[in-house]
Amino acid sequence: QLSVFNYPPSIGPTYRDLLPTPPPPGDVPSCAEGGVLGVLPGTMGCLQATEVLKIILGRSPNEICTGRVLIYDALQMKFGEIHLTRQSDREMITELIDYQGFCAGPKTTTQPSKQQQSLTSTT
């Protein structure tokens, strides 16, 4: 998925307009756990770079992927989009939450093996 959030500044929709409540830490799998097709980061990175250049060049917001989410289906080789509007009653985002827990992926509840414990205790 691709979108430019909060553009134009203080006018365009924000990430919280798309996902009003962040998931609890540990509920979102990491890329390693969830799996990512190797070419996807390159494809999406090129699309992101294109949007950055359009903003730097001062292109019209109508030409920028704001107010919509571009969805790329690599298996079907199709693009789709959903429209997104700014919620005027939403509180302004003034600080970010700690996303460390989100990047770490789901929490494991298993205990370390004896081999792992012995490696830890010898180092």
Side-chain angles (χ1 to χ4, degrees), residues 58-121:
R59 303 303 296 190
S60 164
N62 295 338
E63 297 174 309
I64 296 168
C65 192
T66 186
R68 58 195 172 104
V69 179
L70 184 70
I71 301 167
Y72 175 53
D73 181 342
L75 294 176
Q76 298 294 317
M77 197 53 121
K78 293 181 180 180
F79 285 90
E81 70 178 43
I82 58 172
H83 292 279
L84 183 64
T85 56
R86 184 179 186 98
Q87 303 298 315
S88 59
D89 60 342
R90 188 165 315 287
E91 285 186 38
M92 186 174 205
I93 298 171
T94 57
E95 63 182 82
L96 298 177
I97 62 173
D98 179 15
Y99 281 94
Q100 197 81 3
F102 295 98
C103 297
K107 295 178 180 153
T108 58
T109 57
T110 59
Q111 296 295 321
S113 69
K114 291 186 185 250
Q115 182 181 14
Q116 290 171 325
Q117 289 175 349
S118 67
L119 286 174
T120 306
S121 63

Side-chain angles (χ1 to χ4, degrees), residues 19-31:
L19 297 169
T21 307
D27 273 9
V28 179
S30 68
C31 291

Side-chain angles (χ1 to χ4, degrees), residues 5-20:
F5 294 108
N6 201 32
Y7 190 83
S10 300
I11 297 172
T14 69
Y15 191 70
R16 287 291 159 236
D17 293 315
L18 178 63
L19 297 169

Side-chain angles (χ1 to χ4, degrees), residues 2 42-56:
L2 172 83
T43 302
M44 298 313 291
C46 287
L47 294 171
Q48 289 173 334
T50 301
E51 294 305 299
V52 168
L53 289 173
K54 290 191 285 185
I55 292 169
I56 291 170

